[in-house]
């Protein structure tokens, strides 16, 4: 069976965050170490094959996605834990790094097989988008998203879920360290752009919530394209997001492009949470932001938390992140630069993850 294992590795506590050159070196070390391994001996001597890896390094460490073929979930997780432990131990400059998380996600193909075999009133819908909406809304299987525990009208149950979702979004808002309330429009001089503080926090929390969902779904898109050895235009399997990119370049969206785009999303959202972002760096980040805003908006709508103030807060953030006053590209893909320029930095001081571009990464000034 094929499993996707997500691993968070972090620099030692109290260590200064890595600068761009250190991050470039770290990603090379981790990628080289993982690329050299085709199989690993897991618990009880079971061999687990390593099928694919994706590495995204950020100032505080790295996020790894490791695809393995293993007889059971426990073997997959245990084997990847051993693999990463050994990689860190034998790499001198990474020896003090720690594994903060190592968990398994079921591969999309297996999930579809399981869903196809399911039957009865609790079976989830076949459509992937509907399943995602149900999961995001938190509705149990066999019950509509608006139906609560109190009966068909579900008034009390729906209200309880809405309060819980609001509280969760407000809690998550603190993780979006890069943006003070003013960026969302709190205390803005222009009444048309001004929003209450709580609306700004709901927008921030929704973006944090949407990040995990977007990264996981884009990773599934990468795997679908890689398995079919196809572009988005040729792909027969279901895709979460990549088929929503501009159609004119659909024959260019292959697995390699999808990997670069996924790493761009991870690097962008990492800068959101570590506080290092100043503006969007390239067209690919503009597209990533558009996907993230759509994901956040969907989440807010499902929980009945989207109103004009929250929508304005998200729009204010999108405007603040653009490198100049022309913001059309974020919302209108027809205004995009040529495909060959999507990963090219807008300015010399724009951040570029070393896995997404052939340009040498600039040292900090």
């Amino acid at each position: 069976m094929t499993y996707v294992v997500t691993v968070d590795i972090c620099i030692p506590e109290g260590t200064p965050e890595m600068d761009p050159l250190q991050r470039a070196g770290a990603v090379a070390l981790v990628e080289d170490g993982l690329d050299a391994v085709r199989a690993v001996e897991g618990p009880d001597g079971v061999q687990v094959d390593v099928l694919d890896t994706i590495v995204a390094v950020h100032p505080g460490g790295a996020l790894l996605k490791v695809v393995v073929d293993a007889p059971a979930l426990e073997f997959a997780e245990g084997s990847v834990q051993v693999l990463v432990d050994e990689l860190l131990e034998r790499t001198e400059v990474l020896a003090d790094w720690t594994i903060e998380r190592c968990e398994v996600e079921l591969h999309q193909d297996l999930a579809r097989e399981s869903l196809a075999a399911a039957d009865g009133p609790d079976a989830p819908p076949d459509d992937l988008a509907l399943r995602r909406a149900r999961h995001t809304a938190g509705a149990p299987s066999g019950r509509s998203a608006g139906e609560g525990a109190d009966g068909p009208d579900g008034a009390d149950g729906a209200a309880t879920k809405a309060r819980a979702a609001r509280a969760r979004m407000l809690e998550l808002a603190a993780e979006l360290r890069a943006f003070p309330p003013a960026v969302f429009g709190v205390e803005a001089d222009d009444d048309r752009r001004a929003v209450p503080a709580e609306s700004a926090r709901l927008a921030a929390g929704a973006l944090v919530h949407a990040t995990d969902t977007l990264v996981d779904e884009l990773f599934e898109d990468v795997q679908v394209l890689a398995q079919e050895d196809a572009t988005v235009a040729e792909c027969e399997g279901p895709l979460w997001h990549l088929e929503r990119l501009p159609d004119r370049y659909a024959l260019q969206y292959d697995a390699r492009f999808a990997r670069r785009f996924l790493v761009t999303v991870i690097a962008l959202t990492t800068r959101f949470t570590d506080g290092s972002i100043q503006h969007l760096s390239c067209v690919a980040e503009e597209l990533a932001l558009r996907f993230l805003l759509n994901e956040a908006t969907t989440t807010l709508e499902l929980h009945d938390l989207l109103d004009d103030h929250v929508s304005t807060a998200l729009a204010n953030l999108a405007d603040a992140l653009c490198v100049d006053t022309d913001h059309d590209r974020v919302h209108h893909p027809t205004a995009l630069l040529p495909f060959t320029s999507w990963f090219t930095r807008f300015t010399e001081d724009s951040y570029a993850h070393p896995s997404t571009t052939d340009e040498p990464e600039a040292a900090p000034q």
Side-chain angles (χ1 to χ4, degrees), residues 52-204:
D52 199 3
T53 59
I54 291 179
V55 179
V57 171
H58 53 83
L63 176 68
L64 319 179
K65 294 278 191 177
V66 184
V67 184
V68 296
D69 186 22
L73 181 149
E74 294 79 10
F75 293 108
E77 186 174 281
S79 299
V80 172
Q81 176 92 29
V82 169
L83 170 61
V84 177
D85 270 334
E86 291 182 352
L87 169 62
L88 298 180
E89 184 177 351
R90 69 172 182 263
T91 308
E92 184 177 354
V93 298
L94 305 178
D96 294 330
W97 287 36
T98 57
I99 297 177
E100 298 295 319
R101 176 171 65 117
C102 182
E103 61 184 19
V104 164
E105 302 166 11
L106 189 63
H107 191 272
Q108 184 180 13
D109 286 346
L110 295 176
R112 284 201 297 269
E113 290 176 9
S114 176
L115 289 166
D119 196 5
D122 290 334
D126 292 334
D127 184 81
L128 291 176
L130 292 177
R131 292 206 305 274
R132 176 169 66 118
R134 174 178 288 183
H135 173 72
T136 307
S141 296
R143 178 185 298 167
S144 67
E147 183 179 345
D150 300 314
D153 54 356
D156 292 342
T160 299
K161 289 179 182 178
R163 287 193 298 270
R166 176 181 290 273
R168 178 59 177 156
M169 296 300 169
L170 295 175
E171 178 184 2
L172 288 173
E175 297 183 21
L176 207 70
R177 299 179 182 88
F179 309 117
V183 175
F184 290 95
V186 176
E187 299 181 357
D189 295 334
D190 185 348
D191 289 342
R192 295 171 301 174
R193 310 297 290 179
V195 301
E198 183 165 300
S199 297
R201 290 174 62 201
L202 284 172

Side-chain angles (χ1 to χ4, degrees), residues 130-344:
L130 292 177
R131 292 206 305 274
R132 176 169 66 118
R134 174 178 288 183
H135 173 72
T136 307
S141 296
R143 178 185 298 167
S144 67
E147 183 179 345
D150 300 314
D153 54 356
D156 292 342
T160 299
K161 289 179 182 178
R163 287 193 298 270
R166 176 181 290 273
R168 178 59 177 156
M169 296 300 169
L170 295 175
E171 178 184 2
L172 288 173
E175 297 183 21
L176 207 70
R177 299 179 182 88
F179 309 117
V183 175
F184 290 95
V186 176
E187 299 181 357
D189 295 334
D190 185 348
D191 289 342
R192 295 171 301 174
R193 310 297 290 179
V195 301
E198 183 165 300
S199 297
R201 290 174 62 201
L202 284 172
L207 287 167
V208 174
H209 183 277
T211 295
D212 285 342
T213 303
L214 180 60
V215 168
D216 286 342
E217 291 171 353
L218 282 173
F219 187 79
E220 291 187 8
D221 282 359
V222 171
Q223 293 307 303
V224 170
L225 293 178
Q227 288 180 348
E228 294 193 15
D229 190 21
T231 66
V232 167
E234 302 160 338
C235 184
E236 297 181 359
L239 298 170
W240 287 111
H241 297 284
L242 295 181
E243 62 186 0
R244 295 192 290 112
L245 291 170
D247 291 340
R248 61 180 135 167
Y249 300 124
L251 285 171
Q252 305 291 328
Y253 308 145
D254 56 11
R256 180 177 180 274
F257 164 83
R259 287 169 176 272
R260 296 175 74 191
F261 189 72
L262 172 60
V263 172
T264 296
V265 171
I266 294 172
L268 175 67
T269 53
T270 297
R271 283 149 56 216
F272 282 4
T273 56
D274 69 18
S276 63
I277 193 167
Q278 297 297 321
H279 54 72
L280 299 180
S281 296
C282 60
V283 171
E285 286 198 350
E286 291 180 337
L287 287 164
L289 177 62
R290 185 161 59 89
F291 281 179
L292 189 65
L293 291 171
N294 287 341
E295 196 75 44
T297 299
T298 298
T299 299
L300 290 163
E301 287 177 335
L302 288 168
H303 294 296
D304 199 24
L305 297 175
L306 186 68
D307 58 23
D308 289 343
H309 288 310
V310 178
S311 295
T312 299
L314 291 172
N316 288 341
L317 174 68
D319 288 349
L321 283 173
C322 289
V323 72
D324 54 34
T325 57
D326 179 10
H327 311 317
D328 287 343
R329 287 195 303 270
V330 177
H331 301 289
H332 303 291
T334 56
L336 290 172
L337 294 173
F339 177 76
T340 54
S341 302
W342 282 13
F343 295 96
T344 302

